[in-house]
Amino acid sequence: MDTHPLLQGVLIAAQSLGLPVLVALAVYFLTRPLAAGIRLTLALLLGFSAGWAALFGSQASFPPRQTLDWLPLLAAVLALLGLLPRSVRQIAYGLLLAVGLWLFSPPLLMRADWLVLLGEWAVALLVGLALLLTVTLRADTLRLPVALACAFGALGFVTSLGGSIVIGSLLNSGFALAGVLWLAQSRLPTTAVTAASAAGVVVWVWLAFSARHLAEIHPEETLLAAAALLTLWLPLPARLRHLTALLLPALPALAAVGLAVWRYFAAQSYYY
Amino acid sequence: MKFKSLTLSALTLLAGVAATSPAALAHTADKGTYKIDPVHSSVLFTVTHLGVARFTGRFDAISGELTADGIGAGNAVKVEIDATSVNSGFADRDKHLKSPDFFSAAQFPTITFNSTEVKLDDSGKGTLTGDLTLRGVTKPVTFDLQHIGAGQDPWGGYRSGYTATTTIKRSDWGVDFLLGGISDEVDLVINIESIKQ
C-alpha cells in the first residue's frame, strides 16, 4: 500500500527513532525480575531489531541474501556475548566484529580484488578494535552513551543526506537507543553500560562499513563521527563536567554533519 | 560547378545508404544468433513521482544476445543490465538509486532477463516472457514485444530490432522503499538493436 508522500518522512522517523525507543523501554520495564544487565541487553537488542524490521524487514530474507539481512542475527549473537565475563567478552566482541565485517564485504568484492578487500577489511577492523578498546578502557558511564549517540547520530544524518536513507535510519536507531542508555545509565552498573556501549560500537562499525561500500559515504565524515568516540580519551574538567561531557563528542559530530551539508550545497543538487 | 559536384556526391552517398538500409518493414529477422548492440539499445524505466508527475531514467550499459527463429519456438532473449550504470540525469539521485534503498548496485551489480517463451506473429507483434532478476530476486515477467525491423546495415552486417514494454511492481523484487513518493508501478521499455553473429 502506498503511503502518502507527506507522511513518509514522519513514518521513517517513527520507525528509526520512536519504535526502537518504545520497544526498548517496554522490554526494560517488563523484564524487571531479571538482572539489570540482562534487561538492558534485551531492551537494546529488541529495540534495534524492531527498528531494523520496520525499516528493512520487508526487503529482507532468510537465509540472508543481502548484507543488511545479517544485522539482527549478528546483533543477537552480540547480545549473547554481552553476558560473558568481561575478560572474555572483549575478545569475543573483537572476533564477532571481524566476522561481521567479512559478512558485510560482498559489495566490495563485486568491484575490487581480494587484496583491496583484505585491506579495507583490515583497516575497518583496526579502527573498530581501537574504538572498542577506547570504550572499554574509558568506562565512564556518563560519557559513553553521549559519545555513542554523537557517533551514531552524526553518521546517521550524513548517510541519510548523502547516500542511503535505509542505512542512515538504522544508524539513527542506534542514536535513539544510545539515548535510552543515557537515560538508564545512572540506575545501571558500570559493567552493563560498558558492555552495551561496546556492543553499540561494534554495530556502528558494521553500519559505517556498509555506508561506505553500499552508499558511497565519504571516509572523512565517517572518521569525524568516529572521533566522537575517541574524545573519551580527553580529560573532563572538574567544573562543568556534564556540559563538557556533552560538548566534547558533539564537536566532531557537528563537524561531520557540517561537512556533509557543505558537500550537499556545494554540489548544488538539492536532491531531497 | 563545384556545388553541383558536391550535390551529386551527396545524392550518390544517400542513395548508397538507402540501398543498404535495413528493410524497416521486414517483420521476420533472419534466423540465427544476434548480439545486442549496446550503443543503439536502451533500457528505460518510468515512475510516478509524488503522485503528480512521470519521471524516466535509464541504464546506460546493456548487453546480451538473441536467438531468432522467425515465428518459431526457438526464439530466445538474454539481457544483462549493469545496475551501476543507472542514469537519472542527476548524480546525487543516481547515487541514491544505487544504494540499498533501491537497486543495491554494489552488492547486486547485474540485472538479468532470461526469456522462457517468445511469441511473435506475422505482423511482428507478440509477447516476451521470462525471468527478471533484480537485486537477487527472480520473478517471471511478460513484456509486450514488437519487432521493429531487420535488414542489412551500411557496413555489411545484418541487424534486427525490437521493443519490449511492460509494467512491473518494484515491491515484488523487494525494492519497496519510499513507496509513497515513488510509485510501486514501474513502466519498463527495452529497445534492442542486435547484430547478427
Side-chain angles (χ1 to χ4, degrees), chain A residues 102 105 108-109 111-123 209 213:
Chain A
W102 194 254
S105 294
L108 177 60
L109 191 57
R111 63 178 195 281
D113 59 25
W114 280 94
L115 207 60
V116 176
L117 172 67
L118 280 173
E120 292 265 357
W121 176 80
V123 169
F209 192 73
H213 296 298

Side-chain angles (χ1 to χ4, degrees), chain A residues 66-236:
Chain A
Q66 305 163 90
T67 54
L68 293 176
D69 292 348
W70 285 103
L71 260 181
L73 300 171
L74 287 167
V77 177
L78 199 57
L80 283 174
L81 297 182
L83 303 176
L84 293 172
R86 187 182 168 185
S87 55
V88 188
R89 188 175 64 219
Q90 302 311 320
I91 297 167
Y93 275 171
L95 287 173
L96 190 62
L97 171 68
V99 171
L101 285 172
W102 194 254
L103 292 173
F104 285 106
S105 294
L108 177 60
L109 191 57
M110 292 287 180
R111 63 178 195 281
D113 59 25
W114 280 94
L115 207 60
V116 176
L117 172 67
L118 280 173
E120 292 265 357
W121 176 80
V123 169
L125 181 60
L126 282 175
V127 171
L129 290 176
L131 295 175
L132 256 180
L133 199 67
T134 300
V135 167
T136 308
L137 295 180
R138 310 295 291 178
D140 183 333
T141 54
L142 172 69
R143 299 176 70 181
L144 284 176
V146 178
L148 204 55
C150 287
F152 269 112
L155 197 58
F157 178 87
V158 167
T159 307
S160 296
L161 183 69
S164 164
I165 297 173
V166 167
I167 300 177
S169 298
L170 290 171
L171 284 157
N172 289 336
S173 292
F175 165 77
L177 292 171
V180 171
L181 189 60
W182 180 75
L183 282 175
Q185 52 88 18
S186 60
R187 298 178 203 87
L188 291 165
T190 306
T191 49
V193 177
T194 309
S197 300
V201 163
V202 173
V203 172
W204 184 89
V205 175
W206 287 336
L207 286 172
F209 192 73
S210 293
R212 171 159 165 71
H213 296 298
L214 287 172
E216 301 174 34
I217 294 304
H218 297 280
E220 295 91 333
E221 281 93 319
T222 308
L223 290 173
L224 279 169
L229 289 161
L230 294 175
T231 60
L232 290 167
W233 290 106
L234 299 174
L236 291 184

Side-chain angles (χ1 to χ4, degrees), chain B residues 119-134:
Chain B
K119 289 180 181 171
L120 263 181
D121 61 21
D122 288 334
S123 68
K125 290 185 178 175
T127 56
L128 168 63
T129 303
D131 295 323
L132 178 67
T133 303
L134 168 63

Side-chain angles (χ1 to χ4, degrees), chain A residues 1-5 8 12 55-56 58-59 65-68 106-107 110-111 162-167 213-218 264 267-272, chain B residues 50-51 90 92-102 104-109 134-137 171 173-185:
Chain A
M1 188 182 72
D2 285 3
T3 308
H4 190 282
Q8 192 93 59
I12 292 171
L55 290 160
F56 194 72
S58 62
Q59 305 174 32
R65 180 172 47 82
Q66 305 163 90
T67 54
L68 293 176
M110 292 287 180
R111 63 178 195 281
S164 164
I165 297 173
V166 167
I167 300 177
H213 296 298
L214 287 172
E216 301 174 34
I217 294 304
H218 297 280
Y264 179 77
Q268 296 189 323
S269 59
Y270 315 119
Y271 168 48
Y272 289 123
Chain B
L50 298 176
F90 210 76
D92 279 4
R93 181 168 50 215
D94 294 345
K95 191 176 162 188
H96 191 202
L97 286 170
K98 283 186 261 182
S99 80
D101 297 10
F102 295 99
S104 201
Q107 187 171 5
F108 303 104
L134 168 63
R135 207 172 147 149
V137 176
S171 57
W173 280 264
V175 188
D176 64 356
F177 198 60
L178 294 177
L179 281 176
I182 302 158
S183 61
D184 194 10
E185 286 78 19

Side-chain angles (χ1 to χ4, degrees), chain B residues 4-192:
Chain B
K4 191 176 178 183
S5 169
L6 271 174
T7 309
L8 275 175
S9 300
L11 283 173
T12 308
L13 181 64
L14 280 174
V17 169
T20 54
S21 289
L25 293 176
H27 283 310
T28 308
D30 278 2
K31 292 182 181 181
T33 305
Y34 292 72
K35 194 173 178 182
I36 289 175
D37 175 8
V39 178
H40 297 100
S41 300
S42 56
V43 178
L44 311 173
F45 57 90
T46 303
V47 293
T48 303
H49 183 236
L50 298 176
V52 300
R54 304 284 284 161
F55 179 81
T56 298
R58 57 178 288 157
F59 292 96
D60 288 337
I62 172 175
S63 61
E65 59 181 40
L66 326 175
T67 304
D69 186 31
I71 56 171
N75 287 306
V77 182
K78 185 180 177 184
V79 179
E80 286 195 352
I81 300 161
D82 181 355
T84 63
S85 74
V86 65
N87 182 352
S88 66
F90 210 76
D92 279 4
R93 181 168 50 215
D94 294 345
K95 191 176 162 188
H96 191 202
L97 286 170
K98 283 186 261 182
S99 80
D101 297 10
F102 295 99
F103 296 114
S104 201
Q107 187 171 5
F108 303 104
T110 309
I111 299 167
T112 61
F113 176 80
N114 288 305
S115 68
T116 51
E117 185 182 48
V118 184
K119 289 180 181 171
L120 263 181
D121 61 21
D122 288 334
S123 68
K125 290 185 178 175
T127 56
L128 168 63
T129 303
D131 295 323
L132 178 67
T133 303
L134 168 63
R135 207 172 147 149
V137 176
T138 302
K139 297 266 180 187
V141 60
T142 298
F143 290 84
D144 290 327
L145 183 65
Q146 184 169 7
H147 185 222
I148 305 298
Q152 296 294 322
D153 66 26
W155 305 279
Y158 183 87
R159 293 178 183 240
S160 180
Y162 303 84
T163 292
T165 57
T166 193
T167 300
I168 62 167
K169 283 194 170 191
R170 63 187 175 101
S171 57
D172 289 345
W173 280 264
V175 188
D176 64 356
F177 198 60
L178 294 177
L179 281 176
I182 302 158
S183 61
D184 194 10
E185 286 78 19
V186 182
D187 294 342
L188 290 178
V189 178
I190 304 180
N191 294 309
I192 286 177

